[in-house]
Amino acid sequence: MRLALTSDNIAGACEAVVAEMIKAAQGEAMPYGGDPLTEQVTKMFAELFECDVAVFLVSTGTAANVLSLAALTPPWGSVLCHPESHIVNDECSAPEFYTNGARLVGVAGEEAKISVSALEQAINKRMGDVHSVQPSAVSLSQVTEIGSVYSLAELQEISQLAHSKGLKVHMDGARFANALVSLGCTPAQMTWQSGIDIVSFGATKNGAMAAEAIVVFDKNLAQKLALLRKRGGHLHSKMRLLSAQMLGYLSDDVWLNNARHANAMMALLQKGMASIAGVEIIAPAQANMLFCRLPVGMAEALLAQGFSFYTGRWEEGVVRFVTSFQTQQADVEDFIACARDLSTSHTKTS
């Protein structure tokens, strides 16, 4: 198989993560998070975010998202999110399940980002009306599902509005590191300093084997989350193996270097594809994800040559490319060259 651009989930675990897991697998340790590694990782997150935090490790992004939302939203509440967000389209109604019925309400906005004016309308609509679900939380995807990134100013404006109406703010940070290096800011600036109450801190897409962290800035939510994690079946007995992944991931800037590489490979890919006749960049990539519209027949020809990527899931002719920490520059250049050859061949025969 040649270059695979289906998702950053296809990449394996990076060496630093595997090495720490091998160390942690030796000997014995107290279960359910009562081990020294989990304590160490909690301290690392506090240093990373420059504040006291509660940390709940889980093994999937779905678990991180839905447990976070369950802590913020009563069964009669609603979660305001973009219609293209992952929790709407790719969680198989898990948010509704874990919140015992809270509703996901789509709030429109350009580039898959929630519009502040649309959010204000959604919050005010039938608030206090006993016949309607009550707005309870806002969920933001950072990076969004089309590869765009909320600026710090956008995060702050949305959070200020939400808090002024009594709503909490959740960040789906499945690609947290990719967004962070794109903005060139600190974890604190992109979260609690911008008004985020709780973040699903993703690691699996960027080098972990299976580890995500729910990082809680509002400590009043900690006890509720502890119980929700256990009741939901996501309290791992051998927690040290999840903590070991985070230790390897966060040490020596591994997580940031992985994200920088993935983003750089996407920048290279985007530049190359934009130079090819007939290729339309639908939304410029700000991190490691890109949506394009390819000339008729190009996607099928590239797939036939052994490349892999998603096509046709959104609309006819639209493809999605995602790079990862394992994506190699030579492979990206090979892909661009093949796409250019196909474009040239098509032009000659037309």
Side-chain angles (χ1 to χ4, degrees), residues 1-4 305-308 331 334-335 338:
M1 185 175 71
R2 297 168 86 172
L3 178 62
Q305 292 186 29
F307 298 106
S308 60
D331 293 333
D334 177 42
F335 182 86
C338 288

Side-chain angles (χ1 to χ4, degrees), residues 111 183 295:
E111 299 180 344
L183 291 177

Side-chain angles (χ1 to χ4, degrees), residues 66-78:
V66 299
L67 291 174
S68 297
L69 295 175
L72 301 178
T73 318
W76 55 85
S78 62

Side-chain angles (χ1 to χ4, degrees), residues 6-344:
T6 51
S7 173
D8 35 12
N9 279 324
I10 66 174
C14 65
E15 291 182 8
V17 167
V18 173
E20 291 297 338
M21 288 185 69
I22 291 172
K23 288 181 191 177
Q26 311 304 312
E28 300 173 340
M30 290 298 290
Y32 302 111
D35 60 277
L37 266 183
T38 300
E39 181 181 359
Q40 180 182 353
V41 166
T42 300
K43 291 178 180 178
M44 291 178 76
F45 272 111
E47 293 174 3
L48 192 71
F49 285 99
E50 305 173 53
C51 67
D52 188 24
V53 294
V55 179
F56 300 88
L57 297 181
V58 293
S59 57
T60 72
T62 296
N65 282 339
V66 299
L67 291 174
S68 297
L69 295 175
L72 301 178
T73 318
W76 55 85
S78 62
V79 178
L80 307 182
C81 52
H82 197 277
E84 295 182 32
S85 64
H86 197 273
I87 60 173
V88 171
N89 296 310
D90 296 279
E91 303 283 26
C92 195
S93 80
E96 293 92 329
F97 178 80
Y98 275 82
T99 58
N100 291 314
R103 182 175 297 170
L104 302 181
V105 175
V107 180
E110 297 296 322
E111 299 180 344
K113 296 189 287 187
I114 291 174
S115 157
V116 173
S117 59
L119 178 62
E120 186 166 20
Q121 290 179 7
I123 292 174
N124 291 331
K125 185 178 181 180
R126 303 186 74 175
M127 179 178 270
D129 183 347
V130 73
H131 300 285
S132 177
V133 293
Q134 296 300 294
S136 303
V138 176
S139 182
L140 307 171
S141 300
Q142 183 78 322
V143 177
T144 74
E145 292 302 299
I146 68 163
S148 57
V149 175
Y150 284 93
S151 68
L152 296 184
E154 288 171 330
L155 293 174
Q156 291 161 10
E157 191 174 9
I158 288 171
S159 295
Q160 287 170 4
L161 172 60
H163 290 157
S164 72
K165 302 292 186 176
L167 280 67
K168 299 290 188 181
V169 183
H170 163 254
M171 176 180 285
D172 176 356
R175 296 182 173 91
F176 187 94
N178 302 95
L180 192 75
V181 300
S182 176
L183 291 177
C185 63
T186 68
Q189 289 172 329
M190 200 172 79
T191 54
W192 63 271
Q193 290 181 4
S194 292
I196 306 300
D197 297 294
I198 187 168
V199 61
S200 300
F201 180 94
T204 304
K205 295 179 185 296
N206 193 43
M209 184 189 81
E212 314 279 309
I214 302 170
V215 182
V216 184
F217 306 108
D218 182 350
K219 296 294 288 292
N220 293 323
L221 300 170
Q223 179 62 17
K224 186 176 183 180
L225 257 166
L227 296 172
L228 284 167
R229 181 174 62 166
K230 175 60 180 177
R231 185 171 184 265
H234 292 287
L235 177 62
H236 287 251
S237 60
K238 297 184 181 180
M239 188 66 72
R240 70 185 188 274
L241 296 179
L242 269 68
S243 298
Q245 293 179 63
M246 282 296 180
L247 176 60
Y249 183 69
L250 296 175
S251 297
D252 301 320
D253 286 344
V254 167
W255 67 297
L256 294 174
N257 290 332
N258 283 358
R260 289 187 185 109
H261 177 80
N263 286 12
M265 291 301 97
M266 177 49 68
L268 177 64
L269 178 63
Q270 178 172 238
K271 182 179 180 180
M273 295 304 290
S275 69
I276 297 173
V279 173
E280 177 190 355
I281 305 297
I282 294 177
Q286 293 180 266
N288 67 320
M289 184 190 304
L290 177 67
F291 283 82
C292 297
R293 183 173 284 106
L294 302 183
V296 175
M298 180 181 284
E300 292 74 14
L302 288 168
L303 293 170
Q305 292 186 29
F307 298 106
S308 60
F309 48 86
Y310 284 127
T311 179
R313 291 184 64 186
W314 299 272
E315 59 180 278
E316 189 68 27
V318 173
V319 302
R320 188 189 78 167
F321 302 136
V322 185
T323 51
S324 78
F325 72 95
Q326 288 186 333
T327 303
Q328 298 299 307
Q329 180 173 337
D331 293 333
V332 174
E333 291 171 345
D334 177 42
F335 182 86
I336 295 168
C338 288
R340 182 171 288 114
D341 287 344
L342 288 168
S343 175
T344 302

